[in-house]
Amino acid sequence: MYEGRTAAQAGIVFGHENMGLEIGSAVTLLKKGDRVVMPFNVACGRCLNCEEGKSAFCTHVNPGFAGGAYGYVAMGPYPGGQAEYVRVPFADFNALKLPAGKEHEDDFALLADIFPTGWHGVQLSGFRPGESIAVFGGGPVGLMAAYSAVLRGASEVYVVDRVPERLLKAKEIGCIPIDFSKGDPADQIIKLRGREVDRGVDGKHALAPEKGCVDHSRSIAVGYQATTADGKTEQPNVVLEGLIKVVRPTGGLGIPGLYVPKDPGAPDSASAK
């Protein structure tokens, strides 16, 4: 959205990793002074999808679309958290109450988006304890997906990226780093294992910045802004093709990566569609 790669309009307030609280008159389960964290999505807690635990697809908060979110294109009229204040609709349902005090602020901030998104990617893949899994992308979400798989008893966790610091962090949390700048990542994994993995996650792509430039790597998932081995040439389908190649037949894929209907900044006309 920052780069004009979606239909976001000028003036949108970004941000959806929110903490803190002021209480409105309709809130009954929280009191002023409670410390809370909000998930990135907005949900009513009452519709059928919410009652079934599929609150990301709430049918009430964003008419005509299943799901709402703070500060996100096409996800409803909810300004984001990169501001002094943020409005929290249905706060009794959306606000997760935290322990009192000021400790672990950075850790709790991860509960707003990064950690749950990584965990959810693993969940979507159909992962079961003892299975192997490959996570494409070692950014914040990808590393959280990999760590979630470790916590859930994976036999092997492969993390694909090209940024040395990310690959090192993946190794530190017990994963097997795969540098896609050194060759096809699916081929590398299959060569190491002798066969495909059980599950795969589109976790977070790494765009290594040019020297002296800002790192514009995305923090939610690989999605349609994936690149080839040089880290510069965009190929929107490269991660999905890699996942299909490296995951065994009847295995499972988790795709929390972002794929939008139209991309105004796409590298070519086919990708723009």
Side-chain angles (χ1 to χ4, degrees):
M1 291 190 293
Y2 282 108
E3 300 168 1
R5 301 293 295 271
T6 70
Q9 301 297 309
I12 185 173
V13 179
F14 293 127
H16 51 226
E17 284 151 313
N18 311 314
M19 296 180 68
L21 195 59
E22 291 283 343
I23 298 297
S25 60
V27 179
T28 60
L29 301 180
L30 301 166
K31 65 180 184 300
K32 188 172 182 178
D34 284 343
R35 184 168 62 150
V36 299
V37 61
M38 279 69 72
F40 69 89
N41 61 299
V42 177
C44 71
R46 306 168 187 170
C47 69
L48 178 62
N49 284 347
C50 284
E51 288 183 350
E52 291 184 347
K54 302 172 183 176
S55 59
F57 303 96
C58 177
T59 56
H60 181 73
V61 296
N62 190 12
F65 191 86
Y70 301 98
Y72 214 86
V73 61
M75 297 296 281
Y78 307 105
Q82 293 179 11
E84 187 175 357
Y85 292 98
V86 62
R87 179 171 63 96
V88 181
F90 305 102
D92 282 331
F93 180 73
N94 287 298
L96 173 65
K97 187 175 179 179
L98 301 171
K102 297 182 179 180
E103 295 181 331
H104 310 298
E105 287 281 302
D106 292 343
D107 298 315
F108 288 135
L110 290 177
L111 294 177
D113 183 358
I114 303 301
F115 202 165
T117 302
W119 183 281
H120 187 55
V122 175
Q123 184 73 17
L124 288 174
S125 76
F127 174 82
R128 294 172 294 188
E131 292 186 323
S132 57
I133 187 168
V135 178
F136 276 59
V141 169
L143 288 173
M144 288 294 96
Y147 190 51
S148 296
V150 171
L151 292 176
R152 296 170 70 164
S155 58
E156 295 176 325
V157 182
Y158 297 86
V159 175
V160 177
D161 209 289
R162 69 188 303 275
V163 177
E165 293 82 0
R166 292 174 174 177
L167 294 171
L168 177 60
K169 181 58 67 175
K171 187 174 182 179
E172 288 177 357
I173 62 174
C175 304
I176 302 167
I178 301 293
D179 186 345
F180 74 85
S181 70
K182 296 181 178 179
D184 184 294
D187 288 342
Q188 291 186 60
I189 294 171
I190 292 171
K191 184 177 181 179
L192 285 172
R193 301 195 76 240
R195 61 189 186 281
E196 300 99 334
V197 296
D198 300 304
R199 310 289 168 180
V201 175
D202 174 347
K204 164 70 188 79
H205 190 53
L207 287 183
E210 295 284 349
K211 184 176 181 180
C213 295
V214 177
D215 182 353
H216 291 297
S217 55
R218 288 87 188 165
S219 64
I220 56 163
V222 182
Y224 66 102
Q225 288 179 275
T227 69
T228 56
D230 62 10
K232 302 174 185 177
T233 306
E234 286 196 19
Q235 184 180 335
N237 62 336
V238 67
V239 168
L240 294 179
E241 289 183 350
L243 286 169
I244 292 169
K245 183 177 181 180
V246 79
V247 174
R248 64 174 172 81
T250 72
L253 305 180
I255 314 293
L258 178 64
Y259 294 89
V260 297
K262 294 182 179 180
D263 178 6
D268 55 64
S269 58
S271 299
K273 300 177 181 179

